């Protein structure tokens, strides 16, 4: 089966600019996650979707970050305006409903550098 | 809530030597435990997991981990490492029957010395 697809792989922007990341999960996986991985730290969950509904966005900085999954398949994560501390790898993962805690599949990530 | 502590941020080891990467978890309920590996410039890949049954779990590339409930540990071991094992290793935990979330540790970078 095809894996989780993410684009772009790399992005460099200046602070205060906006940026968007795209994720296409594994076909049939209704649950989708966005994680932020800052250098030297473990991945931190930003938001979890089930189909097109948000399950948990408690750690999403909502003043600048937004995410959507309009048709319950692809998802986009947006940062506006970006700050230097947003430099990180943004990872998307997906799982079958109710199976996420058995382990999920990650995409290759988008490495964001804010200068 | 669950949490994971990886005691070493970096572990240097000579090629063909054994290695142990330490992981301790905290949880008030039963847990599932995972080790993920991240090779340079790649995403996270599931290396092995403990869900139930035998407390010793193995991966296809020679790693193994043992779930120790009394010590709340899930250390990762390999008897002989190769240069290709150079990567960052993340221990992670989830709670069965609850939300579908996995909580990750901060990672341990494995340096293989020639």
């Amino acid at each position: 089966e095809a894996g989780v697809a993410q684009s772009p792989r790399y992005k460099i922007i200046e602070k205060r600019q906006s940026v968007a990341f795209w994720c296409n999960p594994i076909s049939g996986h209704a649950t989708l996650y966005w994680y932020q991985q800052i250098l030297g730290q473990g991945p931190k969950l930003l938001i979890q979707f089930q189909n097109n509904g948000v399950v948990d966005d408690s750690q999403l900085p909502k003043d600048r970050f937004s995410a959507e999954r309009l048709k319950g398949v692809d998802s986009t994560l947006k940062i506006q305006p970006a700050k230097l501390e947003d430099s990180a790898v943004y990872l998307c993962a997906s799982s079958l409903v109710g199976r996420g805690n058995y382990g999920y599949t990650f995409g290759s990530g988008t490495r964001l550098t804010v200068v | 809530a669950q949490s994971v502590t990886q005691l070493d941020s970096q572990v240097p080891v000579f090629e063909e030597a054994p290695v142990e990467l330490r992981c301790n978890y905290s949880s008030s309920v039963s847990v599932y435990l995972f080790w993920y590996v991240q090779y340079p410039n790649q995403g996270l890949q599931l290396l092995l997991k403990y869900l139930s049954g035998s407390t010793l779990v193995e991966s296809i590339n020679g790693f193994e981990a043992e779930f120790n409930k009394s010590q709340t540990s899930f250390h990762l071991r390999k008897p002989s490492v190769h240069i290709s094992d150079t990567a960052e290793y993340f221990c992670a935990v989830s709670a069965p029957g609850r939300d579908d979330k996995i909580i990750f540790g901060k990672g341990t970078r494995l340096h293989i010395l020639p």
Side-chain angles (χ1 to χ4, degrees), chain B residues 17 37 47 64 95 101 104 109:
Chain B
V37 59
L47 185 61
E64 65 178 30
K101 282 191 280 289
F104 288 84
R109 186 169 296 279

Side-chain angles (χ1 to χ4, degrees), chain A residues 55-70:
Chain A
V55 174
D56 182 358
D57 63 357
S58 58
Q59 297 199 76
L60 187 73
K62 299 180 185 66
D63 57 334
R64 298 183 300 104
F65 286 64
S66 65
E68 60 183 14
R69 195 183 182 200
L70 292 175

